Amino acid sequence: MTILNRSSWLPLCLLLCSLWTGALHAEEETVTLNFVNAEIESVVKAVGMISNRNFIIDPRVKGTVNIVSSKPVARDMTYQILLSALRLQGFAAIEAGGVTKIVPEADAKQNFSVTGGKNIKASGDRIVTQVYPLQNESAVQLVPILRPLITPNNSISAYAGTNTLVITDYADNIKRINKIIEAIDQPNYGEVTVIKLHYVSALDMAQTLNHLLSDSSPGAAPGTPQASPNISGQKFLVLPDVRSNSLLLRSDQPARITRARGLVTQLDVAGNQMGNINVVYLRNAEAVKLAETLRAIVSGENKSPAMTTPAVPGQPTTTPAAVATSSGSSIQADAQTNSLIITAPDNVYNTLRAVIDKLDARRAQVFVEALIVEVTTDKAAEFGIQWQAPLGSSGDNSAIIAGTNFGTGGSNIVNLNTAKVLPNAGFNLGLLQRLTIGGQEVTGLTALARMLESDANANILSTPNLLTLDNEEAKIVIGKNVPFITGSYAQSAGSAPGAAVNPFQTIERKDVGLTLKVKPQVAEGGTVKMQIYQEASSIQDTTNAAGVITNKRSIESTVLVDDGQIIVLGGLIQDDLRDGLDKVPGLGDIPLLGSLFKYESRKHVKTNLMVFLRPKILRNATAATSLTGDRYDYIRNEQGKSATSPHLFLPNIATPMLPEQQPQPAAAEPVKPQP
């Protein structure tokens, strides 16, 4: 900081010579200022002597200013003129403790400054801080609007706790901002208005007002509250409160509220005491089932859905209790339009209408993904030597043959000699010998060495998926429909000997493959209770005389799982080890040489089978559309991978492809037919 001292008197005297008025007549109240390219420090000293103020100048305050007055100005104005000149150079004045500090503008907000509320008294180019509490609008939302109006080096911030703005800027600019805030911080005339209804249902009245007073499109669904912009950009919203049978109205135009009140007064009148006929179109619930529930409410009895008579096309579906119930009310269901026809007094109908609105809610859907994972390891090894050799003969009709034979089928040396079979898989080394038996030359194996080692691994993953409504059973079957013989008999065509016999068999067809049945029930907290039956079956043997042999793995259980979580239902962990040895007693135990008299086999089968389940709740159309789009894109990508590659000689075959997905418009409620 720079403080005035005696060494600065000489330039100060030179500057005072330029003052035409005030230097010669100190007692006069006006002065004429004339500073051309004058140093800021010298100008501040001169103004300090004229205005009787003490200044402290920051060392960073450097530069020149130009102040020219064509006519005399009041002495008190010289300080304001100095502040304006300093502001143009990027400097500001801070008043504290009878001393004025001249500092860079960026530092001014960090020093002590005048602080006040809405009605700040400071003016001119002085740095002040204002605390402005708002009454109606949000302080946080006003900050982006006002920030461009604040000097770049100064600040504006909001405190959401008390909905207050804190602004640091020049006094004149803050006064301008105050006028802008006052114009914006006005009360919202779109306050909520509550209208109590006495006779008409609030739900029905809301539909009527929305159709008459809002600017909704004609295709909007009845019963859906709407807030649509009108020509002037205003909004009109009507919501029913079924608990108190009241209407909640809000609009930025008071005239619309007044008009709505007039319509409600004219429409909310008592109806026929015996009851009026009302038609309620349902969006989600089934009219036949809901009618049974409502009749039970009105009559106070427990009506069974089994009492419902079959639906006749084109006619309302009724039950014996639908013609007349207690209080002179009747409820009928029209299955064709999925609507209810209610004849009841106003008070009964209003109660039923509130119940219908809660029961006619969109039901959640559950997407169930089952993961069936089977990992199998099969290892086998075989090693053995077999031989058949003549030891001697007696003439041409008899011979003595000795040897060993192990295994079955193509592994047995006798079978290979006498039957037309091929050797089994593996390494087979044989020795042929020609023998003459009965005058006939016979060629056969006299020795067979067999070696085999196999290693098979299987990794099977099945993911059957199901999408079903809450509390509705779903089933998926992927496999074959196999016939099973359940009985047979033969009937002769006549009693004569040799008469034709007509065989007859009874067959039952069963599904063999993958079966999944699920019935989910969604709880309020987001958990899903599921009744599950899962089966994986396959055909093992069809040559059995008693019928087809099948392998079957099934799970039947009821589980509780959170939304989107994976749960294990059950599984099988099986480890099968088999070690076989066929040998000639005594000879097979001889070291080394014993290998010529034995056959060894080993087999190790390890099976891991696990079944997992993952449910996902779809509560709205957006979630269902997203899931469907994801699966659709996956199948489309798989189709692209299966495309045939170009060939030099073979013709190119176009791969069938699903069409590319189109963006879906926002789903709207279906239009209900008007009675």
Side-chain angles (χ1 to χ4, degrees):
M1 297 293 178
T2 302
I3 305 178
L4 300 184
N5 51 44
R6 295 183 178 179
S7 61
S8 59
W9 282 107
L10 181 59
L12 179 60
C13 293
L14 296 176
L15 288 173
L16 292 178
C17 293
S18 62
L19 301 177
W20 295 357
T21 305
L24 298 177
H25 306 282
E27 68 280 1
E28 297 183 8
E29 296 300 326
T30 60
V31 295
T32 301
L33 302 179
N34 187 8
F35 298 100
V36 179
N37 294 328
E39 294 289 337
I40 292 179
E41 182 178 348
S42 301
V43 175
V44 170
K45 293 176 182 178
V47 173
M49 295 186 64
I50 297 173
S51 60
N52 294 323
R53 289 178 176 271
N54 299 320
F55 291 93
I56 299 177
I57 304 175
D58 191 288
R60 294 171 293 177
V61 177
K62 301 293 182 181
T64 60
V65 295
N66 294 300
I67 302 176
V68 178
S69 59
S70 59
K71 58 182 179 179
V73 298
R75 287 178 174 270
D76 295 339
M77 289 296 298
T78 58
Y79 177 62
Q80 297 296 333
I81 294 174
L82 174 63
L83 295 182
S84 300
L86 293 175
R87 179 179 177 181
L88 295 177
Q89 299 296 323
F91 305 117
I94 302 298
E95 299 178 2
V99 178
T100 303
K101 302 178 183 178
I102 308 297
V103 298
E105 186 181 59
D107 297 342
K109 61 184 178 182
Q110 300 177 358
N111 289 270
F112 174 81
S113 59
V114 177
T115 303
K118 287 185 178 181
N119 301 321
I120 195 165
K121 298 181 180 180
S123 60
D125 293 321
R126 301 171 61 185
I127 294 291
V128 297
T129 298
Q130 183 183 47
V131 180
Y132 199 115
L134 301 180
Q135 301 297 327
N136 303 288
E137 295 297 329
S138 169
V140 177
Q141 295 179 358
L142 275 184
V143 169
I145 299 175
L146 300 177
R147 187 175 297 280
L149 306 178
I150 305 297
T151 306
N153 289 328
N154 293 320
S155 64
I156 178 174
S157 57
Y159 178 60
T162 57
N163 198 34
T164 303
L165 290 173
V166 179
I167 308 172
T168 300
D169 203 358
Y170 293 99
D172 286 345
N173 194 37
I174 284 184
K175 289 184 177 180
R176 179 174 68 99
I177 292 174
N178 287 349
K179 296 180 180 179
I180 297 175
I181 296 176
E182 291 176 0
I184 296 176
D185 190 30
Q186 297 294 327
N188 185 4
Y189 293 102
E191 297 292 339
V192 177
T193 301
V194 180
I195 301 178
K196 175 69 176 177
L197 301 179
H198 301 283
Y199 305 102
V200 182
S201 168
L203 291 165
D204 294 340
M205 184 66 75
Q207 295 181 20
T208 303
L209 294 181
N210 272 314
H211 281 291
L212 293 177
L213 300 180
S214 69
D215 298 323
S216 58
S217 60
T224 304
Q226 307 219 1
S228 303
N230 57 21
I231 299 176
S232 61
Q234 306 290 338
K235 289 185 178 181
F236 178 75
L237 180 65
V238 179
L239 291 175
D241 179 38
V242 295
R243 186 186 62 83
S244 61
N245 197 38
S246 303
L247 292 177
L248 306 178
L249 287 78
R250 182 173 182 177
S251 176
D252 292 338
Q253 292 180 326
R256 277 196 170 187
I257 300 294
T258 303
R259 186 180 178 187
R261 283 184 177 275
L263 290 174
V264 171
T265 302
Q266 297 177 24
L267 296 176
D268 187 27
V269 295
N272 189 347
Q273 294 183 355
M274 296 302 297
N276 298 319
I277 299 177
N278 302 275
V279 179
V280 181
Y281 295 97
L282 304 179
R283 297 188 297 272
N284 301 287
E286 295 184 24
V288 177
K289 294 182 179 179
L290 186 56
E292 287 292 331
T293 303
L294 297 179
R295 292 189 198 106
I297 295 175
V298 174
S299 62
E301 299 177 2
N302 186 13
K303 299 294 183 181
S304 172
M307 296 178 59
T308 306
T309 58
V312 179
Q315 297 184 7
T317 303
T318 62
T319 68
V323 178
T325 60
S326 63
S327 304
S329 305
S330 67
I331 303 171
Q332 297 180 358
D334 183 17
Q336 300 297 322
T337 59
N338 196 38
S339 58
L340 297 173
I341 304 172
I342 303 175
T343 303
D346 292 337
N347 60 337
V348 177
Y349 171 74
N350 292 341
T351 303
L352 294 177
R353 191 67 179 87
V355 175
I356 293 171
D357 182 66
K358 293 186 177 297
L359 297 180
D360 189 27
R362 180 188 178 95
R363 294 173 64 183
Q365 299 184 92
V366 181
F367 177 74
V368 182
E369 182 178 12
L371 308 174
I372 305 172
V373 185
E374 183 174 358
V375 180
T376 304
T377 302
D378 189 349
K379 295 182 179 181
E382 297 180 27
F383 179 80
I385 298 176
Q386 305 172 57
W387 53 271
Q388 296 286 327
L391 299 180
S393 62
S394 175
D396 294 335
N397 297 322
S398 61
I400 300 175
I401 299 176
T404 60
N405 60 299
F406 305 111
T408 59
S411 298
N412 187 279
I413 188 172
V414 176
N415 290 341
L416 293 175
N417 278 324
T418 60
K420 294 180 180 180
V421 295
L422 297 175
N424 285 349
F427 178 77
N428 297 276
L429 178 63
L431 177 62
L432 289 174
Q433 184 178 7
R434 294 180 180 178
L435 302 176
T436 301
I437 301 176
Q440 185 178 359
E441 187 178 270
V442 179
T443 302
L445 285 170
T446 58
L448 174 65
R450 172 172 167 75
M451 291 172 283
L452 171 67
E453 183 175 352
S454 63
D455 190 353
N457 297 317
N459 185 0
I460 303 173
L461 174 64
S462 301
T463 57
N465 299 332
L466 279 175
L467 179 63
T468 181
L469 278 175
D470 176 25
N471 213 27
E472 295 289 343
E473 183 180 288
K475 177 181 178 181
I476 184 173
V477 178
I478 304 171
K480 299 179 180 180
N481 193 255
V482 180
F484 290 84
I485 299 175
T486 58
S488 64
Y489 65 90
Q491 182 179 6
S492 300
S495 59
V501 178
N502 298 326
F504 184 82
Q505 292 180 333
T506 58
I507 295 177
E508 179 185 1
R509 290 187 172 271
K510 295 183 179 180
D511 295 326
V512 177
L514 190 63
T515 302
L516 176 64
K517 291 194 297 185
V518 178
K519 184 178 181 181
Q521 185 177 6
V522 180
E524 187 66 25
T527 57
V528 184
K529 178 183 178 183
M530 290 183 292
Q531 299 177 8
I532 306 161
Y533 177 77
Q534 189 276 326
E535 176 184 310
S537 57
S538 61
I539 299 175
Q540 181 180 359
D541 187 8
T542 59
T543 62
N544 191 289
V548 180
I549 299 177
T550 60
N551 298 319
K552 180 179 178 181
R553 300 184 180 98
S554 64
I555 295 176
E556 186 172 2
S557 177
T558 301
V559 297
L560 187 68
V561 58
D562 292 333
D563 179 21
Q565 299 298 316
I566 298 178
I567 189 172
V568 60
L569 298 181
L572 168 68
I573 300 177
Q574 181 178 356
D575 199 343
D576 187 2
L577 178 61
R578 298 181 182 181
D579 191 358
L581 175 61
D582 295 333
K583 66 179 180 179
V584 177
L587 297 177
D589 298 328
I590 301 174
L592 298 179
L593 187 61
S595 299
L596 300 175
F597 301 95
K598 62 183 178 181
Y599 190 91
E600 296 179 273
S601 63
R602 295 177 182 177
K603 188 173 183 180
H604 185 197
V605 179
K606 188 173 183 179
T607 302
N608 293 323
L609 173 65
M610 286 293 169
V611 179
F612 301 88
L613 199 71
R614 177 172 60 187
K616 183 178 181 181
I617 303 175
L618 309 178
R619 298 188 180 275
N620 50 49
T622 303
T625 302
S626 175
L627 177 65
T628 302
D630 179 70
R631 295 299 186 268
Y632 190 93
D633 290 339
Y634 171 78
I635 292 298
R636 199 167 184 276
N637 292 334
E638 292 298 316
Q639 286 184 328
K641 295 177 183 178
S642 63
T644 57
S645 58
H647 197 276
L648 183 60
F649 302 104
L650 298 178
N652 188 22
I653 302 176
T655 303
M657 290 288 295
L658 290 172
E660 187 175 356
Q661 284 195 88
Q662 300 296 330
Q664 298 293 331
E669 293 285 348
V671 180
K672 302 297 181 184
Q674 297 298 325

